[in-house]
Amino acid sequence: MNTVRQLDRVVIRFAGDSGDGMQLTGDRFTAETAKLGNDLSTLPNYPAEIRAPAGTLPGVSSFQIHFADTDILTPGDQPEVLIAMNPAALKANIRDLKPGGTIVVNTDEFTKRNLTKVGYDDNPLEDGSLDDYQVYPVALATLTIGALAEHEVSKKDAERSKNMFALGLVSWMYSRPTEATEDFLRGKFKAKPVIAEANIAALRAGWNYGETAEAFAVRFEIPPAKLAAGTYRNITGNTALAWGITASGVASGLPVFLGAYPITPASDILHELSKHKRFGVTTVQAEDEIAAVGAALGASWGGALGVTTSSGPGIALKSETISLAVSLELPLVVVDVQRAGPSTGMPTKTEQADLVMAMFGRHGEAPIAVLAPQSPSDCFDIMLEAARIALTYRTPVMVLSDGYIANGAEPWKLPELADLPDLSVEFATEPNAVDAKGEEIFLPFQRDPVTLARPWAVPGTPGLQHRIGGIEKADGTGDISYDPINHDHMVRTRAAKIAGVEVPDLEVDDPQGDANVLVLGWGSTWGPIGAAVRALREKGASIARAHLRYLNPMPRNTARVLEQYDKVVVPEMNLGQLALLLRGNFPGTEVVGYNKVRGLPFTSNELTDALEEVIKNG
C-alpha cells in the first residue's frame, strides 16, 4: 500500500527533446494544478533553434512549475523533481536540480549513440554519478508502446504518446487529477479520435504504473492555497495581454484593430486575439512590421483603438511610424514582448533590455508613455491602463512585457464586468472655434486644458476636415509650419502632455519604516525581488521594496520615495537601464545596479545574497 505524504510546495521540471511535447505536458500539469486551487508559477524554456537535431543539448525543451498551499512569487530557484526524457535533458538540467532531488528518467533513450551525442563517456545511470539523487529509471517508450498494443496506432505514434505516460505518472505522484486532460485530448484530436484515445490510454497507463510499481512507494499531496474568494483560472502573460486588449475595446466602446507580424515571443497575442471577433476585434497579420504598425495607426485615425505587438527587432522597425503617431497625436498601443538581443539574439530567451529604446528610440523629440506589467496576471490590468492613457491623452503608449512574463503562468482572479474602468471616448462632432469672420471652424490641435489632448475627429465627420501628416503642424490649426518658435512650442507641448499623464503614486513596502536600503524593480523582476525580500525579512533584516509599473512618466512621488533611503538597489535583466534613468532624473540618489543578461530570470537566492551584501556593507 502506498504512503501519502503532505507537502507545502514542490518544484517540478519536465525536460526532453523539442519533439517530446514537454510544453504540452507542462501546460496540462499546470492546468490540473490550477484546478485543484494551488498557487503556482511556471517557467517554460524553449530551445532557440526551430528544430535542433534530435537528442542534442541545443534541442532541449523544459517546463518548470512551482506550486504550493500558500502564495508564491517565482517558478522556483531549483527543481526538486526532474523528468528527463533523454540524456540531453538530463545533462542540460542536472546542475539545476536540488541536492537529493528526484529524477524520473526515460531509460529507453540511454543508448550508446545518444550518450555519445551529448558527451557522456559512460552511462550516468550506471556509473554512480547520480548517487546523490533519488533516481527512478522508467522505460517510458517501451511501457507506452506496450500499453497501446491493442490500439490501432503505429509504433511511431504509440511512442509519441510517452509524454502522456510521463504526465500520468507524475500526476499520480503528486495527486493531480487527469479528467480535464482527457477532455482536452479528445478536443485537441477531435478529427483523429484514434490518436486521442491512444494518448488517453497512455495517460491512464502512467497513472496505473505509479499505483502498481513497487519503486513508487510514496505519493504526495499539496493542499489548495488560501486565495481570496472568486473565480480563478490559469493564465499566461500573452493571453492576459490579449484579453486586456479585448476588454479595453469593451470598456471604451471602440472597435479594436491589431496589426501584427509574427515574432517570438509575441505571436501568441495575435493568435489569441484572432479568436475574439465577436467582441469587435479585427486582427491583420501584415506582410512586415512596418505595415503592421502603419495599419494600426490608420485604424486609430479612423476611430478605432489601434494596437500593434512585436518584440525588440520589430519595435526597431516600427519606430518611424510611432514617431508619426506622436506627431499626429493619435492613440496607439504598442506591445513589446522583450527578448534577448542584440539583433536576433536569443529569440526564445528573456531580457529587459528595451527600456532605453522605449524611452528614446525614435527620431526627434518624440516622448511616449511607457508601462510594464509585473506578472502574467498583471498584463490584463496594464493593458487597460495603456488604453486609458492612449485614449485620454491621444498618444502612443508602449507596454514592456518580456519572455518570462509572456510564457509564464499563474492563477488569475476573473474581474467582474462591472469593475472594468470606463474608457469611453468623446469624438469631435462639431466645430470648436470661430474665425475672424465669425464663421465656425474646426481647430484639430486645439487642446484640452487639463490633458493637452487634441480633438479626435473621425474622418468623414461633416465640417471637421483637417490635414494630417508627418510635417510639423501649426498650433491649433494643424497647418504645415516651418516656424522655429511654433516648432519649439509644439515639441514642448507634446513633452508636457506625457509628463502630465496621471498615474498612481509609487507604493513602498517598508513594514518597520526604518530600512536604509530600498529595492526598486520594474517588470518581471517583481516576483524574484519579492521572494528575496521575504527571505531577508525572515532572517531579521530590515529592507524596503517598491516596483515601477509606470516608467514614463514615473509616479509623482518617486523623488520623495528615493530620498528616504541611503541606497537604492535596482536589479535588472540588462546592464543598468533603469539605473541610468534614475541617476539622470534623481542625481542625489545612490543607485546600486545588480545586472544579469543570461536570457534567464533572476533566482530569489541570488538576489537574497546580493541584497544581504548591500545591507551588510551599509
Side-chain angles (χ1 to χ4, degrees):
M1 181 165 178
N2 299 119
T3 301
V4 178
R5 185 181 303 164
Q6 194 166 99
L7 302 175
D8 61 354
R9 66 184 63 231
V10 70
V11 181
I12 300 174
R13 182 180 296 179
F14 298 89
D17 197 68
S18 57
D20 283 337
M22 292 297 92
Q23 302 304 322
L24 174 62
T25 305
D27 283 341
R28 293 316 311 163
F29 191 87
T30 300
E32 298 288 9
T33 296
K35 188 176 178 182
L36 277 180
N38 294 118
D39 195 13
L40 62 90
S41 180
T42 69
L43 178 62
N45 193 357
Y46 303 91
E49 301 290 338
I50 293 175
R51 179 63 74 180
T56 63
L57 292 172
V60 173
S61 175
S62 68
F63 188 105
Q64 183 165 305
I65 175 172
H66 179 194
F67 58 103
D69 64 0
T70 187
D71 78 301
I72 54 176
L73 300 171
T74 74
D77 288 355
Q78 292 179 289
E80 296 152 298
V81 182
L82 172 64
I83 316 302
M85 302 296 283
N86 60 18
L90 178 67
K91 187 164 190 176
N93 292 280
I94 188 65
R95 63 182 180 274
D96 296 334
L97 189 62
K98 191 173 183 178
T102 298
I103 304 172
V104 177
V105 61
N106 176 23
T107 56
D108 286 324
E109 289 293 318
F110 279 70
T111 62
K112 181 64 176 175
R113 181 172 180 270
N114 287 345
L115 291 167
T116 301
K117 195 182 295 186
V118 294
Y120 277 125
D121 295 325
D122 300 300
N123 189 337
L125 304 182
E126 300 171 353
D127 65 4
S129 60
L130 301 178
D131 287 351
D132 291 338
Y133 304 97
Q134 189 171 5
V135 181
Y136 293 99
V138 181
L140 288 175
T142 301
L143 289 167
T144 304
I145 293 170
L148 302 185
E150 297 182 4
H151 288 256
E152 296 178 0
V153 292
S154 67
K155 182 178 179 182
K156 184 177 181 180
D157 284 337
E159 185 176 353
R160 283 177 177 168
S161 301
K162 64 182 180 291
N163 65 320
M164 288 297 104
F165 189 102
L167 176 59
L169 172 57
V170 180
S171 296
W172 175 86
M173 290 173 65
Y174 290 92
S175 306
R176 308 290 96 180
T178 59
E179 291 79 8
T181 296
E182 293 184 14
D183 292 340
F184 168 84
L185 291 169
R186 291 190 181 97
K188 180 178 176 63
F189 298 108
K190 187 176 181 180
K192 300 178 180 179
V194 173
I195 298 295
E197 292 307 314
N199 276 277
I200 291 169
L203 180 71
R204 292 174 177 173
W207 177 283
N208 293 335
Y209 182 80
E211 186 77 27
T212 58
E214 293 182 5
F216 296 94
V218 179
R219 63 187 303 200
F220 304 93
E221 288 182 351
I222 294 88
K226 294 178 175 63
L227 303 174
T231 302
Y232 288 80
R233 62 149 289 156
N234 186 48
I235 199 165
T236 66
N238 274 349
T239 300
L241 284 171
W243 289 7
I245 293 168
T246 304
S248 297
V250 173
S252 64
L254 299 176
V256 172
F257 179 94
L258 174 75
Y261 181 77
I263 185 170
T264 302
S267 299
D268 287 342
I269 305 171
L270 168 63
H271 301 160
E272 180 62 30
L273 278 174
S274 68
K275 303 173 185 176
H276 300 303
K277 295 178 183 178
R278 67 188 184 279
F279 292 113
V281 178
T282 298
T283 54
V284 171
Q285 180 177 316
E287 64 268 31
D288 56 41
E289 296 282 6
I290 299 171
V293 67
L297 182 56
S300 288
W301 165 239
L305 175 58
V307 183
T308 189
T309 56
S310 190
S311 296
I315 299 298
L317 292 168
K318 296 178 191 291
S319 63
E320 182 180 5
T321 304
I322 298 172
S323 281
L324 175 61
V326 172
S327 176
L328 298 182
E329 300 190 49
L330 286 171
L332 178 68
V333 177
V334 182
V335 177
D336 177 3
V337 186
Q338 300 165 97
R339 69 189 207 185
S343 188
T344 309
M346 299 193 294
T348 61
K349 308 304 179 183
T350 195
E351 208 161 85
Q352 287 183 294
D354 294 351
L355 175 56
V356 169
M357 179 171 71
M359 293 288 293
F360 307 113
R362 290 162 296 283
H363 56 287
E365 292 285 350
I368 64 174
V370 181
L371 284 63
Q374 63 191 27
S375 67
S377 60
D378 188 43
C379 287
F380 180 85
D381 296 323
I382 214 76
M383 286 309 305
L384 288 167
E385 273 294 272
R388 174 187 70 84
I389 294 170
L391 295 171
T392 302
Y393 296 89
R394 313 281 196 267
T395 179
V397 179
M398 190 174 294
V399 174
L400 292 176
S401 179
D402 61 43
Y404 176 33
I405 286 179
N407 297 315
E410 65 182 0
W412 174 60
K413 183 181 176 183
L414 273 66
E416 297 292 335
L417 189 60
D419 293 335
L420 291 180
D422 180 5
L423 301 180
S424 56
V425 174
E426 290 188 14
F427 289 105
T429 57
E430 56 189 24
N432 58 4
V434 178
D435 66 10
K437 299 178 182 179
E439 296 180 357
E440 291 186 332
I441 59 172
F442 177 60
L443 297 179
F445 283 85
Q446 184 182 82
R447 301 178 183 279
D448 180 286
V450 176
T451 65
L452 300 182
R454 77 175 187 91
W456 193 2
V458 176
T461 305
L464 304 191
Q465 299 92 332
H466 61 284
R467 176 182 290 153
I468 64 166
I471 296 178
E472 185 63 280
K473 298 143 191 71
D475 187 29
T477 66
D479 295 338
I480 289 176
S481 173
Y482 296 101
D483 178 68
I485 294 175
N486 175 76
H487 177 58
D488 184 276
H489 171 73
M490 293 295 278
V491 167
R492 293 179 186 276
T493 301
R494 289 188 289 259
K497 180 171 64 172
I498 298 302
V501 171
E502 286 293 329
V503 302
D505 278 350
L506 180 61
E507 296 183 3
V508 181
D509 174 20
D510 187 357
Q512 317 242 330
D514 61 353
N516 295 318
V517 174
L518 171 71
V519 192
L520 182 64
W522 70 277
S524 64
T525 58
W526 179 79
I529 289 173
V533 168
R534 181 184 292 175
L536 286 169
R537 287 176 180 168
E538 289 173 356
K539 293 181 178 181
S542 181
I543 187 168
R545 68 171 297 204
H547 210 76
L548 285 168
R549 296 170 74 243
Y550 301 86
L551 294 154
N552 196 38
M554 290 185 186
R556 302 278 185 273
N557 68 330
T558 302
R560 189 167 68 252
V561 167
L562 300 182
E563 289 169 358
Q564 297 174 21
Y565 298 94
D566 296 337
K567 290 184 180 178
V568 177
V569 183
V570 182
E572 299 181 80
M573 291 187 291
N574 58 47
L575 294 183
Q577 296 188 15
L578 177 59
L580 176 69
L581 296 177
L582 294 175
R583 292 185 185 110
N585 291 325
F586 312 102
T589 303
E590 183 176 349
V591 178
V592 180
Y594 184 75
N595 308 103
K596 174 179 175 179
V597 279
R598 299 179 185 175
L600 296 169
F602 288 110
T603 66
S604 61
N605 284 340
E606 68 181 306
L607 282 183
T608 301
D609 293 343
L611 295 174
E612 196 167 31
E613 192 67 23
V614 173
I615 295 171
K616 188 185 302 181
N617 293 333

